[in-house]
Amino acid sequence: MSMLKSREANLTGAILLLLALIATRFPGFVAPANLMAVFNDTSPLMILALGQMVVILTRCIDLSVAANLALTGMICAMLNVAFPGLPVAVILIVALACGAVMGAVNGLLVWKLAIPPIVVTLGTMTIYRGIIFLLSDGAWINSHEMSASFTGFPRTPILGLPVLGWLAIIVTAGMALIMARTPMGRSFYAAGNNPHAAVYTGIDVGRAQFRAFVISGTLAGLAGYLWISRYAVAYVDIAGGFELDVVAACVIGGVSIAGGVGTVLGTILGALFLGVIKNALPVVDISPFWQLAISGAAILVAVTFNSRSGRSRGRIILKSAGQGT
């Protein structure tokens, strides 16, 4: 636990240092209004990363989150075009349900058929993108076809922060509660930390992984509506490659790819770190090549740190097991 707290403190320090360096080149970036805009811009990444965190904790990975987002967003956009008077609350329910169903498909394939998660989600990622093309026939849905209530909801300010940002805060609080206070949250950690021991304590590892995929899919569905309505456009390739940013946010935030290690706070900090980089580098005239290189370097450093920590933790577990026998 002290290692995790240290990791989160270090990441917070890195974000503050990054902001200080950016302020030397562009002081306006650290203005409160702009920082709030950066937080709002990073909100979809935070929502998706929290879902991905739960999946990775159980020693799985969900590469279909961006495709889930895109398909759910297209369904919501088409629904809005067909029924412009449909309340946003209904569209939100549809988005959550669509995302949950796609997450459940992933979870069932991993749980019941024992197919490796990376294979399952690579396959469903392609399938979901294909379904978008079939539904839309490759056509775009643009802002003039969407209703004002549909596009206006995530942009509505409350106490200076748009609804999009507040939803990210609500999701963060909900996930923190689930992970810290519920048996389901503890089962995610147990399934990833030591699945064999988890079975002996009565935890169904496959069921825990299924639930993790459903949570990830549900949050991807929510992000799908928010993304489409905020940018007021829907098309086949929307959010293409965004799943890599989602995984990167988790890894930078200290979530171990080996499973069983990670926190909600760390994941949020990882997403914010990426959000600051992606918003700041174009402002200070860094070329697109160096933007990618810097982001990639941050990921490599995070993976190296996590793997070293994981090896240390692994040796302790093996030693304890040996002493027990």
Side-chain angles (χ1 to χ4, degrees):
M1 185 62 69
S2 61
M3 183 190 74
L4 290 175
K5 290 180 179 177
S6 174
R7 175 58 177 268
E8 290 156 0
N10 290 339
L11 190 51
T12 301
I15 293 172
L16 293 175
L17 178 61
L18 182 61
L19 289 173
L21 291 173
I22 295 166
T24 62
R25 292 282 301 275
F26 187 73
F29 188 86
V30 296
N34 189 68
L35 289 178
M36 193 170 292
V38 171
F39 178 86
N40 189 63
D41 187 61
T42 312
S43 292
L45 177 59
M46 289 189 284
I47 292 171
L48 288 171
L50 288 170
Q52 187 74 251
M53 174 202 73
V54 178
V55 173
I56 294 176
L57 283 175
T58 65
R59 296 193 178 188
C60 296
I61 193 167
D62 187 355
L63 298 179
S64 68
V65 287
N68 184 328
L69 177 158
L71 176 53
T72 301
M74 178 60 77
I75 291 172
C76 290
M78 295 180 72
L79 197 61
N80 177 246
V81 171
F83 306 100
L86 201 64
V88 171
V90 174
I91 292 177
L92 276 171
I93 293 171
V94 170
L96 293 169
C98 288
V101 168
M102 284 183 268
V105 169
N106 290 334
L108 285 171
L109 291 173
V110 171
W111 178 21
K112 295 299 185 181
L113 300 184
I115 304 174
I118 191 170
V119 175
V120 168
T121 55
L122 276 173
T124 54
M125 174 178 70
T126 306
I127 292 170
Y128 296 158
R129 292 283 181 187
I131 293 174
I132 300 172
F133 188 86
L134 289 175
L135 288 176
S136 65
D137 199 25
W140 289 37
I141 297 179
N142 297 302
S143 58
H144 67 275
E145 301 175 78
M146 301 178 185
S147 68
S149 60
F150 180 86
T151 58
F153 177 72
R155 309 178 191 185
T156 304
I158 300 176
L159 300 177
L161 182 66
V163 167
L164 174 59
W166 283 112
L167 286 174
I169 292 172
I170 292 170
V171 170
T172 300
M175 287 302 300
L177 183 64
I178 289 172
M179 300 308 295
R181 302 292 182 183
T182 67
M184 182 172 65
R186 290 189 288 272
S187 73
F188 295 146
Y189 283 106
N193 187 41
N194 193 330
H196 299 294
V199 171
Y200 286 113
T201 60
I203 294 173
D204 187 329
V205 173
R207 188 181 298 275
Q209 291 172 335
F210 170 77
R211 288 172 175 170
F213 275 109
V214 171
I215 290 174
S216 178
T218 303
L219 293 181
L222 172 63
Y225 162 68
L226 296 173
W227 185 296
I228 297 299
S229 59
R230 185 189 180 210
Y231 294 107
V233 64
Y235 55 94
V236 173
D237 293 325
I238 204 160
F242 198 63
E243 62 275 352
L244 301 181
D245 287 345
V246 175
V247 174
C250 293
V251 171
I252 292 172
V255 181
S256 173
I257 294 296
V261 175
T263 65
V264 170
L265 177 58
T267 302
I268 292 299
L269 290 173
L272 288 174
F273 183 82
L274 275 183
V276 170
I277 288 179
K278 290 183 177 295
N279 280 274
L281 295 184
V283 171
V284 295
D285 295 326
I286 302 295
S287 72
F289 168 79
W290 284 110
Q291 292 176 34
L292 293 173
I294 292 171
S295 298
I299 295 168
L300 288 175
V301 170
V303 170
T304 301
F305 184 91
N306 288 348
S307 64
R308 288 171 64 89
S309 301
R311 283 197 297 270
S312 175
R313 183 169 63 95
R315 285 195 296 270
I316 294 171
I317 291 170
L318 289 173
K319 182 178 179 182
S320 299
Q323 289 173 344
T325 55

